[in-house]
Amino acid sequence: RRYPTVELRAETFNGPTHVPLPSDSAFLKALLFELRLVDNRVFVEHRDTCTQINHSSVYSLSTSAGDLWPVLAFQRNGLIYACLPLVEGPLEPRPALLTITGLSQGLALLLGIADYLSPSRKNEAEMNTKIGQLRNLLIQACPLGTPLNTNIRSLNSSFEDIQEMPADKDQPAWRSSTYKGKPQVNVCITEKVKCWQYDQRDVVDTWQVYGTVNCKCDIEGSAPNVTLTVNLPTNSAPLQDIVVHHCVTSVDPAMLMSTSAEPLDDSVYSGPYKFPFIPPSDSFNLCYYTSQVPVPPILGCYQLVEEGSQIKITVNLKLHESIKNSFEYCEARIPFFNRGPIAQLESKVTYGQLDLSREKSLLVWIIGQKFPKSLEVSLTGTVSFGAAGKEHPTDYVCTGNTAYVKLYFRIPDFTLTGCYVDQHSVQISVPGKPKITASRELISSDYYIWNSKAPAPMVYKPL
């Protein structure tokens, strides 16, 4: 979709550095080339040299009229999402990305479109229908080139209920409709833990926690005020890198100043974290955060040794005593890359059940919903392989004995930081007693335990 109003503004702002938009086909050709989706086997210096490693999703496209920048583009589920944000100023010298407000607006709009399309990615007919509705939805979400509502799923695909102006002048743009009924608020804190464990002296194990506070507020009124408080237990690590939704009306500046890029000190804000806001009509993420927790939830050791035509594996896992021993699911997956199908397997597990995948290239150790009283489980086995075929997985990183175990788990009603929402602290500026539902969960994300008997990709290694 093109916006002549935005193109005119760009020409005014950019002056002599302005590069006009090429045709759709020329833009697509340049974008596919820059994303290495065409001519990827040909070395092109301005695109492929080591000095041009791109650390963001912002690209410069080479066109007949000059370089088009900044083009925001990323791939998700087989689709490419791209837009060209407006730079309100000269393009030479190029301004810092953080100073271009259109980038964050464009990213929010693209993520909203991706969120709207992603549930239909396996149903081609449904996907085509949704893509056909996008034109109508974009008229509401981004009428003249400025995103007003990036939650595409909350919009109506027909024109029947579109209001040119809100009925109430106090109703914010992000509150697209009003609710009728008993007030209720649902809050869910989701924490994801990433981990890389090596069990080697010269390599430091690393882990990171990312949290999201998701809300769904069904409340009457055009602009209801809600205040939600996130609390931490005593002596817990403070929340850091907090990013709040644009509907939040005010926060303590100290809350936003704590960053994981700097060492913690006594002055770091440790809560309680209060968020006053006017909620959107649909579900939304109130805030994001990180935290420097002292230990990962599950400690592991993986050893893989090749002996002739066989390999011997040993996996030891231990649940830390501070972690709630109640899982919705917990399993360890042990893939074998660049080898043939598993022809013979002799194994012993002290707890749980070991299964072999249908394609015979993956062991799935189902630990279940609880660790034993000792909080320790182990697996030993001997594996031999048949002849390799094209259908078996390959990996350029996992060659030789470089291999890993990947953990998948979810612990309901638990967070690694310990943070929680006090239901009694939720304040709403509407009459009646609202129903408050608060939940929390811890989910694994990229939780790797590398073979300690072989070199592995390092997240961090001391000089």
Side-chain angles (χ1 to χ4, degrees):
R1 183 173 178 85
R2 292 167 175 263
Y3 293 94
T5 51
V6 181
E7 292 185 52
L8 185 61
R9 291 179 67 199
E11 194 172 349
T12 305
F13 276 122
N14 305 156
T17 59
H18 177 71
V19 176
L21 275 175
S23 65
D24 289 357
S25 58
F27 179 88
L28 179 60
K29 183 178 179 181
L31 179 63
L32 294 176
F33 179 79
E34 192 63 31
L35 294 177
R36 297 179 175 84
L37 298 177
V38 293
D39 296 335
N40 60 342
R41 296 183 180 277
V42 179
F43 178 81
V44 180
E45 186 171 354
H46 84 271
R47 182 192 68 178
D48 301 321
T49 179
C50 292
T51 59
Q52 297 298 324
I53 295 175
N54 195 17
H55 297 288
S56 68
S57 297
V58 178
Y59 299 90
S60 175
L61 303 189
S62 180
T63 70
S64 57
D67 289 341
L68 200 60
W69 181 90
V71 175
L72 180 63
F74 60 87
Q75 299 178 62
R76 179 174 291 186
N77 297 324
L79 295 175
I80 300 171
Y81 298 85
C83 70
L84 179 62
L86 174 68
V87 179
E88 297 181 337
L91 293 173
E92 295 295 341
R94 284 186 179 177
L97 295 182
L98 286 175
T99 65
I100 304 173
T101 56
L103 276 174
S104 57
Q105 293 177 331
L107 180 60
L109 182 63
L110 292 180
L111 289 175
I113 295 172
D115 184 53
Y116 166 72
L117 293 176
S118 60
S120 310
R121 64 184 184 274
K122 294 181 181 178
N123 187 326
E124 188 174 347
E126 187 179 341
M127 175 72 82
N128 290 335
T129 302
K130 283 194 171 184
I131 290 176
Q133 294 170 344
L134 264 182
R135 179 177 178 81
N136 291 353
L137 295 172
L138 280 173
I139 290 174
Q140 304 169 62
C142 193
L144 293 172
T146 300
L148 300 180
N149 187 353
T150 58
N151 190 351
I152 308 297
R153 279 202 292 178
S154 69
L155 302 175
N156 195 322
S157 59
S158 71
F159 289 106
E160 296 172 5
D161 300 325
I162 301 176
Q163 299 175 353
E164 291 188 8
M165 291 293 290
D168 189 327
K169 62 182 178 135
D170 295 325
Q171 181 172 330
W174 60 83
R175 192 166 172 80
S176 56
S177 61
T178 54
Y179 170 79
K180 298 291 183 184
K182 185 179 179 181
Q184 53 186 1
V185 176
N186 292 301
V187 185
C188 180
I189 300 177
T190 299
E191 286 187 355
K192 293 186 177 181
V193 55
K194 293 188 175 186
C195 192
W196 299 268
Q197 297 181 37
Y198 302 97
D199 192 33
Q200 295 182 9
R201 286 185 177 180
D202 62 333
V203 185
V204 178
D205 294 345
T206 60
W207 54 92
Q208 300 168 345
V209 177
Y210 303 89
T212 305
V213 180
N214 181 270
C215 298
K216 177 71 167 70
C217 301
D218 294 324
I219 305 170
E220 290 187 354
S222 58
N225 287 297
V226 180
T227 300
L228 186 147
T229 304
V230 176
N231 297 287
L232 283 174
T234 308
N235 299 326
S236 292
L239 305 185
Q240 297 176 285
D241 304 321
I242 298 175
V243 178
V244 299
H245 192 273
H246 58 73
C247 72
V248 176
T249 53
S250 65
V251 290
D252 190 322
M255 186 191 303
L256 305 179
M257 295 299 290
S258 178
T259 169
S260 57
E262 298 175 1
L264 290 171
D265 57 46
D266 296 336
S267 65
V268 171
Y269 190 86
S270 56
Y273 303 87
K274 284 195 173 185
F275 300 94
F277 58 95
I278 300 174
S281 308
D282 207 357
S283 173
F284 71 103
N285 291 329
L286 177 66
C287 72
Y288 303 88
Y289 63 85
T290 67
S291 183
Q292 299 182 33
V293 295
V295 290
I298 299 176
L299 296 168
C301 171
Y302 178 35
Q303 294 185 348
L304 180 150
V305 179
E306 203 157 354
E307 294 183 355
S309 60
Q310 296 181 329
I311 63 169
K312 290 189 175 182
I313 60 170
T314 303
V315 184
N316 296 310
L317 301 175
K318 181 178 181 181
L319 181 68
H320 195 270
E321 57 269 16
S322 65
I323 307 301
K324 181 182 178 183
N325 190 9
S326 178
F327 294 78
E328 181 181 304
Y329 58 85
C330 181
E331 64 182 45
R333 298 184 185 179
I334 310 169
F336 297 97
F337 297 104
N338 311 311
R339 303 173 190 270
I342 294 175
Q344 189 174 358
L345 169 65
E346 295 179 7
S347 63
K348 178 184 177 183
V349 293
T350 60
Y351 195 79
Q353 173 186 334
L354 186 66
D355 293 334
L356 179 61
S357 67
R358 183 182 300 176
E359 61 277 3
K360 296 185 178 182
S361 59
L362 174 73
L363 296 180
V364 181
W365 181 15
I366 302 171
I367 297 166
Q369 297 179 324
K370 222 173 181 65
F371 274 68
K373 284 186 177 180
S374 64
L375 303 181
E376 296 185 40
V377 294
S378 63
L379 157 69
T380 55
T382 303
V383 186
S384 57
F385 301 89
K390 290 183 179 179
E391 69 276 11
H392 292 284
T394 59
D395 192 285
Y396 293 109
V397 174
C398 296
T399 57
N401 287 351
T402 297
Y404 61 76
V405 173
K406 190 173 183 181
L407 298 188
Y408 297 82
F409 57 83
R410 177 181 180 268
I411 307 178
D413 194 28
F414 180 81
T415 51
L416 203 52
T417 61
C419 76
Y420 62 97
V421 171
D422 183 0
Q423 299 180 26
H424 302 291
S425 69
V426 178
Q427 301 172 7
I428 303 176
S429 64
V430 292
K433 189 176 181 181
K435 180 183 178 182
I436 311 295
T437 305
S439 60
R440 53 186 187 161
E441 60 183 356
L442 177 67
I443 302 175
S444 64
S445 171
D446 296 335
Y447 205 106
Y448 292 96
I449 300 169
W450 290 90
N451 177 22
S452 61
K453 297 293 185 181
M458 302 304 175
V459 175
Y460 167 80
K461 187 172 182 178
L463 297 175

